[in-house]
Amino acid sequence: MNFKDSFPLEIEFSIDRDRLYRYLRFQALAGCFALVLPLSVFFASAFYDSHMAAYRHAGLSFRIGWLTIYLLGGLIVSTGLTLTAYGCYFRPAARLKVKNLRLLVDGPYLRFVSGSFIKFDRRYHFRDISCYATIEGPVLRRYGMKSLSFRVQGPPHTPPIVIPGVTDAEGVRDVLCEIDASRENHTFQPSAISDRRSQ
């Protein structure tokens, strides 16, 4: 199969797995804490109200003192729950997600492998892909990374596919744009790949 571009038929793009792992670990810790903290504050407030029912005429300093104690207790509990959930599930999931992540060009297809405990292997024809972009937010910038993003044809308001950790995301974006322009109108022939690999 011949294409107008000068790139190989098959390309695998590099993933900065070390930085991506640290980024996913931070995301997991922050996400767990953000989910658990409101629940801990809610229960701490409920226990505080129950405790203070017997001290309706207590002074302000007394109330503030006990409220501080319960809120600190809630913070300690939320920290413990966060670390437990992170250690038991989210850290192993992040490690597997980093290990499984792959981005490849396979003839007229873009192949994207992702997932942690459940692994997904998707292939998109270049004619179905549009709008390649890079994303850089404060957390990504902290870890020296950018995410690669592209859109696939689908229902309206379908969110783009975002791939963090791609090495030189801007360069990969430009390469994919050039490959897309060359290969979007080609039809994949499985026998062509098999013949090429058998040579």
Side-chain angles (χ1 to χ4, degrees):
M1 185 184 301
N2 295 319
F3 299 106
K4 292 182 290 184
D5 60 79
S6 59
F7 298 101
L9 188 64
E10 299 176 0
I11 306 171
E12 180 163 3
F13 297 106
S14 175
I15 305 293
D16 192 337
R17 301 188 188 277
D18 181 58
R19 290 184 180 182
L20 179 59
Y21 182 49
R22 288 187 280 125
Y23 166 73
L24 292 177
R25 286 172 56 190
F26 174 82
Q27 259 196 339
L29 275 173
C32 286
F33 193 73
L35 288 173
V36 171
L37 184 60
L39 291 175
S40 298
V41 171
F42 172 79
F43 283 109
S45 300
F47 284 121
Y48 166 77
D49 291 337
S50 176
H51 176 78
M52 294 305 296
Y55 303 96
R56 295 179 181 178
H57 303 291
L60 181 61
S61 60
F62 181 84
R63 291 178 176 275
I64 291 176
W66 275 107
L67 178 61
T68 302
I69 291 172
Y70 276 100
L71 289 178
L72 285 174
L75 181 62
I76 293 171
V77 170
S78 63
T79 301
L81 290 174
T82 295
L83 293 176
T84 300
Y86 169 76
C88 292
Y89 176 80
F90 290 99
R91 183 171 181 173
R95 186 182 296 111
L96 284 174
K97 188 172 183 179
V98 170
K99 178 182 177 182
N100 291 336
L101 184 62
R102 298 177 70 194
L103 181 66
L104 312 94
V105 170
D106 187 5
Y109 289 94
L110 182 62
R111 182 181 171 200
F112 173 41
V113 183
S114 64
S116 53
F117 295 104
I118 299 175
K119 187 175 178 180
F120 300 92
D121 192 338
R122 306 176 181 90
R123 298 171 74 205
Y124 305 99
H125 199 289
F126 279 111
R127 65 169 169 255
D128 297 323
I129 304 176
S130 63
C131 191
Y132 297 93
T134 60
I135 302 171
E136 182 183 22
V139 180
L140 284 168
R141 192 178 301 114
R142 175 185 174 186
Y143 290 96
M145 293 192 308
K146 293 182 180 179
S147 292
L148 178 70
S149 167
F150 60 88
R151 288 188 175 275
V152 179
Q153 289 184 6
H157 309 296
T158 300
I161 295 172
V162 179
I163 310 171
V166 178
T167 304
D168 186 19
E170 291 181 346
V172 172
R173 176 201 60 193
D174 296 340
V175 167
L176 287 175
C177 286
E178 187 173 343
I179 292 175
D180 191 327
S182 168
R183 305 184 185 183
E184 63 182 352
N185 295 319
H186 284 75
T187 302
F188 179 63
Q189 299 291 338
S191 59
I193 299 295
S194 300
D195 294 342
R196 182 178 181 275
R197 287 174 176 167
S198 63
Q199 290 178 355

